[in-house]
Amino acid sequence: MKIHEYQAAALFAAYGVRVPEGQMAKTVAEAEAAARALGEGPFVIKAQVHSGGRGKAGGVKFANTPGEAAEKAKEILGMTLVTKQTGPQGRVVQKVLVSRAMEIAREYYLSLTVDGARERVVLIASPAGGMEIEETAKTSPEKIYTMEIDPYLGMTGYQAREMGKKLGLSAAEIKQFIPLCKNLYRLFTEKDCSLVEINPLAIDGAGDLVAADAKINFDDNALFRHVEIGEMRDTNEEEPRETEAAKYDLNYIGLDGDIGCMVNGAGLAMATMDIIQAFGGSPANFLDVGGSATAEKVAGAFSILLADSKVKCIFINIFGGIMRCDVIAEGVVEAARKLAVKVPLVVRLEGTNAEAGKKILGGSGLNITAAADMADGAEKACRLAKEARG
Ligand code: GDP
Ligand code: MN
């Protein structure tokens, strides 16, 4: 799960990481009041969307007075911000963060994330921080330093010091850098983060280290033990189909194609997407209903596919092992009773209670094309989707 910069900054502050003073605003009037409350300018007004690269896309603007802050907020609120991370459709900005702008002497990059291959949390830092970090990663990767953190020792002072030296920080700066790294690591582990990133970590006019930007992603599988983090979820920023899928605890990822897929098991789901592509089609989603889905869960999953206007055909590809084919069939029929099914269904049922499942679907009055096997199903689904596209 992702959160906004203003929320991440509040968490940073709670963990003793310095951030600029600021306040979130949803309207122009709120933005002006926020600037007034800060007192002296200059101010920085930043679009709050779940995406980086806002600066380059015009989502970060400076103002000298509260009136000017209001003008900049007016420009940003409601704009569709198109960054490298949002894709061409962009994101409509609904909130801004109004902060006191600081004088930035130098910009560094600093983050903690999990390196799956090394099975360790890693500290990543670079003296070439700021908006060009992606470019630096491509052109001069030697300027990006990575250190593994031992899970038993945690973030040690000597590691943080070594990293500070690599960055070329002065002794006074390293004195601040060590507790900064330790605090970030405490935040990372206590809140089960998957990424904590400060870019830029700024040295301000007074020589202090301040997090001029704040980004935190959380491990979804650990959210159950952080109710207060779950409450920060902003569904406006999330793909609506995925928000709906989360309600039913489904493994669902929205894609751009037009063949809705309902599959059990992640491996079979991936193979299904591959075989659809192999037959010239394009999947509208990845969906694994899991091994022990109830009819209700299946109905929820099927409803998501039906509600997706891009979907021209649905391919149900089930290999019943632990999952029973009749439960899948019941779920499909239950959802079809509530929602109009306007698209053709291609069904391949194999395994436990396959015959019972086929009987339920056969008697449902739905427009079903039976598939002999997976390849036959994929081929038929691709053909039907193509016909529907015209
Ligand atoms: P991002 O582009 O989405 O990563 O947004 P950032 O919050 O990092 O802002 C983009 C850039 O604006 C930063 O890399 C800084 O160079 C600059 N910036 C942000 N806040 C301040 C500030 O308070 N003072 C100054 N001088 N520059 C800032
Ligand atoms: Mn940034």
Side-chain angles (χ1 to χ4, degrees), residues 5 20 44 46 51-56 60 62 100-104 107 130-131 199-200 212-213:
E5 177 191 7
V44 56
K46 296 188 188 178
S51 165
R54 297 164 301 168
K56 282 192 173 172
V60 176
F62 296 87
R100 200 189 303 284
M102 54 181 180
E103 202 183 303
I104 298 184
E107 295 187 328
M131 297 197 279
N199 186 35
D213 190 4

Side-chain angles (χ1 to χ4, degrees), residues 4-26:
H4 288 293
E5 177 191 7
Y6 76 92
Q7 295 166 317
L11 272 169
F12 279 7
Y15 274 81
V17 174
R18 278 190 64 171
V19 295
E21 237 185 300
Q23 209 178 317
M24 186 271 283
K26 290 181 183 165

